[in-house]
């Protein structure tokens, strides 16, 4: 049995729960500890059941509450080894585990694989989690879809994939300076709705059946816009949402649907 549930997803804070019958993992703790615990309570997840934290990268929307969670519940953190020194200062308590990119390790009965993604942080990893025949994957904060990301996600039944912004909405946003727009739109920024749709059409060919759109920008996207853009792009490829593949949208600071795979 393998569960995946987003507890919060978006530019203001990310937390995803991965669970099996005896193992609980939080991927990123990008909200305050109090907000994290509130969302976990809403999702009926006992914080004492968490075996480990797995961190994608060091931006605050992914680690804001990580140190407090680790201090309170004394769980190990799995992070990319090249960032160990900096993050060790941030996370305070040992023992932590330093993972190599494109490596595989186990947490309880869950096999975890990580892979590099293109993002303007010191490091950024995507992850897949496997238990028995069930596998789920997470890839957000990706400036571009790559063959490595696709190859890793292709093993999964359920995938959380970034659908960060609508390109026109971002370009028309007067509150965003040009440098920031260039950063978001660049190869080391964030994946747009249309690029997400393009990636999903490839995941469909690999038999991924459920995609959860994640890490939506609150300023340059809406859940409906992301969903409709992806759905319409898939339709141009002859792929029908709700029949050939299912699309869900993860929300900011709100728990998402729980997917339980046998
Ligand atoms: Zn980031
Ligand atoms: Zn982020």
């Amino acid at each position: 049995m393998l569960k995946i549930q987003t507890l919060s997803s978006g530019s203001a804070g990310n937390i995803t729960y991965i669970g099996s019958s005896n193992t609980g993992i939080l991927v990123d703790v990008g909200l305050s500890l109090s907000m994290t615990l509130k969302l976990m309570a809403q999702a009926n997840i006992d914080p004492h059941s968490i075996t480990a934290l797995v961190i994608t990268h060091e931006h605050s929307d992914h680690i804001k509450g990580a140190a407090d969670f680790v201090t309170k519940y004394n769980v190990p953190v799995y992070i990319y080894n090249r960032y160990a020194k900096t993050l060790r200062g941030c996370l305070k308590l040992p023992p932590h585990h330093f993972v190599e990119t494109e490596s595989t390790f186990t947490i309880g009965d869950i096999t975890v694989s990580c892979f590099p993604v293109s993002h303007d942080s010191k490091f950024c990893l995507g992850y897949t989690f496997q238990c028995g025949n069930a596998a789920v994957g997470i890839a957000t904060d990706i400036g571009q879809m790559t063959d490595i990301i696709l190859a890793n996600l292709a093993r999964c039944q359920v995938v959380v994939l970034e659908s960060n912004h609508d390109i026109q909405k971002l370009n028309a946003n007067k509150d965003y300076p040009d440098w920031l727009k260039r950063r978001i739109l660049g190869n080391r920024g964030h994946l747009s709705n249309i690029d997400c749709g393009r990636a999903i059409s490839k995941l469909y060919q690999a038999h991924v059946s459920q995609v959860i759109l994640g890490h939506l920008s609150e300023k340059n996207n809406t859940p409906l816009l992301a969903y409709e853009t992806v759905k319409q792009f898939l339709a141009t490829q002859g792929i029908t949402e709700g029949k050939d593949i299912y699309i869900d949208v993860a929300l900011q600071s709100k728990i998402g649907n729980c997917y339980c795979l046998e």
Side-chain angles (χ1 to χ4, degrees):
M1 186 273 285
L2 187 65
K3 281 185 193 170
I4 180 168
Q5 182 173 22
T6 57
L7 303 184
S8 175
S9 188
S11 299
N14 296 273
I15 312 166
T16 304
Y17 171 75
I18 309 285
S20 68
S21 51
N22 66 20
T23 304
I25 297 169
L26 291 182
V27 182
D28 294 334
V29 182
L31 293 172
S32 68
L33 177 62
S34 61
M35 190 62 187
T36 301
L37 295 178
K38 188 175 154 193
L39 293 166
M40 290 178 81
Q42 286 172 11
N44 271 327
I45 300 164
D46 178 357
H48 293 100
S49 72
I50 297 302
T51 320
L53 303 191
V54 167
I55 303 291
T56 60
H57 67 299
E58 81 283 11
H59 286 160
S60 70
D61 58 318
H62 298 264
I63 62 161
K64 184 176 180 188
D68 288 345
F69 192 94
V70 167
T71 302
K72 181 153 188 188
Y73 296 102
N74 197 24
V75 292
V77 181
Y78 289 75
I79 55 170
Y80 183 37
N81 62 3
R82 278 175 54 195
Y83 197 53
K85 264 191 194 161
T86 318
L87 207 60
R88 193 157 30 190
C90 168
L91 289 176
K92 298 179 188 125
L93 287 183
H96 301 317
H97 300 274
F98 306 122
V99 303
E100 299 280 352
T101 184
E102 294 188 78
S103 66
T104 296
F105 52 96
T106 56
I107 303 175
D109 61 356
I110 298 177
T111 302
V112 185
S113 298
C114 57
F115 49 92
V117 300
S118 177
H119 187 52
D120 57 356
S121 58
K122 288 200 173 127
F123 76 98
C124 193
L125 297 175
Y127 289 95
T128 62
F129 303 85
Q130 183 152 11
C131 186
N133 292 323
V136 299
I138 298 177
T140 64
D141 301 76
I142 53 178
Q144 59 182 332
M145 184 47 73
T146 63
D147 290 345
I148 291 175
I149 298 174
L150 280 173
N152 278 275
L153 297 181
R155 308 196 269 267
C156 302
Q157 290 97 47
V158 181
V159 166
V160 179
L161 185 62
E162 175 162 61
S163 196
N164 179 257
H165 56 272
D166 175 78
I167 294 172
Q168 285 177 333
K169 209 166 157 61
L170 173 63
N171 277 324
N173 187 337
K174 294 194 174 64
D175 296 331
Y176 274 45
D178 284 347
W179 68 262
L180 184 54
K181 290 178 183 173
R182 278 197 299 275
R183 187 216 141 206
I184 293 169
L185 290 165
N187 283 346
R188 300 187 70 221
H190 291 281
L191 208 63
S192 69
N193 294 338
I194 195 75
D195 284 341
C196 179
R198 209 168 272 128
I200 292 172
S201 69
K202 292 181 183 164
L203 292 175
Y204 165 75
Q205 308 297 340
H207 308 297
V208 173
S209 55
Q210 173 75 57
V211 177
I212 303 164
L213 308 183
H215 209 298
L216 272 64
S217 164
E218 286 187 295
K219 304 274 168 56
N220 304 310
N221 210 354
T222 68
L224 186 62
L225 185 55
Y227 171 78
E228 287 294 339
T229 305
V230 166
K231 182 181 168 182
Q232 281 165 22
F233 179 83
L234 291 176
T236 67
Q237 307 300 302
I239 304 165
T240 305
E241 195 281 323
K243 177 169 158 274
D244 299 320
I245 193 166
Y246 293 85
I247 306 294
D248 191 2
V249 186
L251 301 178
Q252 183 67 70
S253 306
K254 288 198 175 71
I255 63 170
N257 293 317
C258 182
Y259 293 91
C260 186
L261 307 172
E262 294 302 330

